[in-house]
Amino acid sequence: MQHDRILILDFGSQVTQLIARRLRESGVYCEIWPFSHAPEERIRAFAPKGIILSGGPASVTEGESPRAPEAVFRMGLPVLGICYGQQTMAAQLGGEVQRSDHREFGRAFVEVREDSALFQGVWAKGAREQVWMSHGDRVTKLPPGFRVVAVSEGAPMAAIADEARRFYGVQFHPEVVHTLHGAALLRNFTHAVCGCRGDWTMASYRAGAIERIRAQVGAGRVVCGLSGGVDSAVAAALIHEAVGDQLTCIYVDHGLMRAGESEQVVRTFRDRFNIRLVHRDASDLFLGALRGVTDPEAKRKTIGCLFVEVFEEEQAKLGGAEFLAQGTLYPDVIESVSATGGPSVTIKSHHNVGGLPEGMRMRLVEPLRELFKDEVRALGRELGLPEEIVGRHPFPGPGLAIRIPGEVTREKADLLRKVDAIFLEEIRRAGLYDAIWQAFAVLLPVRTVGVMGDGRTYDHACALRAVTSTDGMTADVYPFDVHFLTGVANRIVNEVRGVNRVTYDITSKPPGTIEWE
Ligand code: XMP
């Protein structure tokens, strides 16, 4: 089944991905392409029901600035230009854009002057509405066929429309939450103007993905490395549904997982899903290799290299496979336009635990390549994966090793696991787990003096860390109630022999990173 689709041409805005997020949330499948990689035949083959031109950092008033492919305006499809997208659309269709002294950044208000299909049921004529702007240039002369439908102080043509050709341009950013009703305006464009049905659901995706996996894999064998995280778990469950026992999962247990995690992976995949699973307990090997290693990068390298080695060893024992499954997500494969809007494109590569086994000559099966993280979670629920896996906080590939500054030993890892488990248990009990991006404990390489009962103690100190974030790139400290923190500290010191002091890390990212190493 072919879903209705919208094409987003990227001109390099920081928030282009948010356009895709908003569309997907309203059940519309969409893809982001660099404006420079969209020849007419490629667009026709994609068969979108409409096209959105994103914002971007360039200025239409400067010579070599990016342009939408002319075909975009000749295909009879609805087009929505946002910010730079509006400006280039106006300029390309015979209007004018000028530099302005009145720049608008952040919150602004528009006044709705005319009814438009874009505003239907959302904004009424005469209303004053909050939007989010970020522009210096503005459209100053309408292209033929257009009329002004909303104005703002800094943009007399804040929204323009040619209802006959179904071309719309907005100076503000509807994809940003600070534009109140922005999602509803985008929905008007995709559903009312373009006629999308909103048929992109994880239930329908699941059926299509299973067909595609079967077509790709045929009678071949697939191996999939499980990490305990949500992406590899969902990829494995989906592939298993498609090809059953042709799939074998390999779980390399480096002994640096959180409390109960390895048991849960085995329980879920082997016992509940009946998936062929190789559980390799390689903790002696990893902890042995980490002996005496204190430098954070050296730790990562040691674990990464060893991981690939062990994975290859297990894979060879299986007698080989034609396909390697990966939980690569859409944000990892989007080609975004560089900040200069130039032709260079940045393509992020995906690195799973320890990196790809590069030497392997296997073809990749990546059934999540089209999905955002929250869609992967929804698909995981659809497939019946337990909530503990689907909703789990991110966990770094090198595991607890980078939460134990200094040398890693089994004793320290055991100690840290206990502290971490208490912290997470209390967070869950308080109903805060889903409000936090990541929460964990760090075992500090210092001992401090304490007093318990009538005796002196001289034990480890630990730090707790909890942050909010949307993508891990920036993070804020989670503002726990102090009573919550003192309660957790009490439990830790009372229940974990060997730890006598608890601190809370109150550093945001930047300047700190989320992990300590
Ligand atoms: P930092 O510490 O760089 O972490 O602020 C950002 C996010 O990335 C995770 N992280 C990793 N994930 N392998 C991974 O798979 C790694 O080596 C790794 N290092 C950090 C971290 O947990 C956070 O979510």
Side-chain angles (χ1 to χ4, degrees):
M1 175 189 157
Q2 172 88 306
H3 295 98
D4 293 335
R5 29 184 62 195
I6 295 285
L7 175 61
I8 300 165
L9 292 183
D10 180 27
F11 289 93
S13 159
Q14 303 284 329
V15 288
T16 302
Q17 275 205 29
L18 292 181
I19 306 174
R21 294 296 319 117
R22 296 290 96 79
L23 264 52
R24 297 270 186 108
E25 278 159 17
S26 69
V28 175
Y29 181 74
C30 56
E31 287 186 11
I32 300 172
W33 299 359
F35 72 92
S36 50
H37 286 50
E40 182 167 353
E41 59 277 20
R42 188 172 172 217
I43 300 178
R44 285 198 187 280
F46 184 64
K49 300 202 86 166
I51 297 176
I52 296 180
L53 310 176
S54 87
S59 170
V60 167
T61 62
E62 279 161 16
E64 295 284 284
S65 58
R67 291 285 178 268
E70 289 297 333
V72 164
F73 306 110
R74 282 193 272 103
M75 298 173 85
L77 293 171
V79 180
L80 171 64
I82 296 174
C83 196
Y84 184 84
Q86 180 207 32
Q87 293 161 8
T88 192
M89 176 164 77
Q92 288 180 250
L93 296 176
E96 252 169 43
V97 175
Q98 284 180 359
R99 272 261 129 101
S100 161
D101 293 335
H102 192 121
R103 308 195 313 167
E104 286 177 302
F105 290 102
R107 192 152 56 127
F109 290 88
V110 296
E111 215 183 289
V112 181
R113 287 287 165 85
E114 300 278 347
D115 290 324
S116 165
L118 202 59
F119 302 157
Q120 210 176 356
V122 184
W123 284 357
K125 194 168 160 175
R128 188 166 178 270
E129 302 286 354
Q130 183 186 312
V131 298
W132 193 80
M133 297 265 201
S134 177
H135 70 111
D137 296 358
R138 61 192 196 184
V139 178
T140 48
K141 185 181 146 225
L142 282 177
F146 279 80
R147 64 205 169 92
V148 175
V149 290
V151 302
S152 78
E153 219 171 284
M157 300 183 181
I160 60 177
D162 176 342
E163 309 277 352
R165 285 189 288 177
R166 300 184 296 169
F167 290 167
Y168 301 88
V170 291
Q171 182 56 70
F172 56 88
H173 288 268
E175 68 274 31
V176 171
V177 289
H178 310 288
T179 295
L180 303 179
H181 315 129
L185 298 182
L186 286 171
R187 191 187 170 89
N188 269 351
F189 178 71
T190 56
H191 288 62
V193 176
C194 300
C196 292
R197 289 161 295 181
D199 54 6
W200 170 254
T201 63
M202 282 306 112
S204 67
Y205 178 77
R206 174 187 186 174
I210 284 169
E211 288 313 308
R212 285 194 296 276
I213 294 166
R214 285 187 183 142
Q216 184 192 0
V217 168
R221 279 177 303 167
V222 189
V223 288
C224 176
L226 289 179
S227 67
V230 59
D231 304 341
S232 60
V234 173
L238 188 65
I239 294 169
H240 183 252
E241 189 159 306
V243 298
D245 279 353
Q246 285 165 253
L247 169 74
T248 306
C249 290
I250 299 176
Y251 175 53
V252 176
D253 186 351
H254 51 27
L256 296 157
M257 301 299 282
R258 286 168 290 196
E261 213 161 16
S262 296
E263 295 78 358
Q264 192 196 27
V265 168
V266 174
R267 214 172 41 237
T268 304
F269 290 92
R270 188 184 285 158
D271 304 343
R272 195 158 143 213
F273 277 79
N274 241 329
I275 292 178
R276 289 182 179 204
L277 172 70
V278 175
H279 173 204
R280 167 81 180 267
D281 178 354
S283 55
D284 287 340
L285 202 61
F286 278 87
L287 290 167
L290 285 170
R291 202 167 294 138
V293 182
T294 54
D295 176 69
E297 280 312 302
K299 281 185 196 174
R300 278 170 190 275
K301 232 183 179 144
T302 305
I303 295 171
C305 293
L306 203 52
F307 182 89
V308 173
E309 228 171 83
V310 177
F311 188 89
E312 285 187 331
E313 208 175 286
E314 289 303 326
Q315 195 266 341
K317 279 191 212 160
L318 294 172
E322 292 78 33
F323 297 93
L324 176 69
Q326 291 264 305
T328 314
L329 304 191
Y330 192 48
D332 301 317
V333 298
I334 295 177
E335 299 177 35
S336 27
V337 182
S338 70
T340 58
S344 71
V345 292
T346 328
I347 305 171
K348 282 193 262 170
S349 55
H350 184 71
H351 297 286
N352 264 337
V353 190
L356 274 177
E358 277 168 17
M360 289 188 190
R361 262 186 235 104
M362 288 191 281
R363 277 169 285 163
L364 289 180
V365 185
E366 299 180 302
L368 313 179
R369 273 179 77 88
E370 293 165 340
L371 305 184
F372 285 100
K373 190 84 175 184
D374 51 343
E375 293 174 318
V376 171
R377 293 207 161 102
L379 179 60
R381 291 188 182 103
E382 184 70 36
L383 289 162
L385 282 169
E387 197 54 38
E388 304 98 89
I389 289 184
V390 168
R392 176 174 283 173
H393 289 171
F395 187 63
L400 300 181
I402 57 171
R403 296 176 179 173
I404 301 174
E407 188 185 19
V408 179
T409 63
R410 192 180 287 277
E411 294 66 39
K412 286 185 193 168
D414 287 342
L415 212 54
L416 178 56
R417 257 189 284 272
K418 288 183 191 153
V419 175
D420 193 69
I422 292 173
F423 186 33
L424 288 175
E425 193 181 306
E426 289 298 322
I427 285 173
R428 284 210 165 89
R429 202 204 304 266
L432 302 175
Y433 190 82
D434 293 337
I436 293 170
W437 164 267
Q438 237 171 327
F440 57 89
V442 178
L443 191 70
L444 301 182
V446 287
R447 285 173 176 249
T448 72
V449 174
V451 55
M452 286 185 91
D454 291 325
R456 174 188 190 270
T457 59
Y458 185 55
D459 283 328
H460 279 286
C462 68
L464 306 179
R465 181 138 175 82
V467 295
T468 55
S469 177
T470 49
D471 52 14
M473 305 294 288
T474 60
D476 275 325
V477 176
Y478 188 80
F480 287 116
D481 181 290
V482 72
H483 298 294
F484 172 85
L485 287 174
T486 50
V488 174
N490 258 333
R491 264 199 72 188
I492 290 170
V493 173
N494 285 333
E495 294 175 34
V496 185
R497 191 178 287 266
V499 173
N500 70 353
R501 193 173 296 269
V502 181
T503 65
Y504 186 53
D505 179 355
I506 52 168
T507 322
S508 63
K509 174 183 180 177
T513 53
I514 295 177
E515 303 291 345
W516 274 43
E517 291 196 330

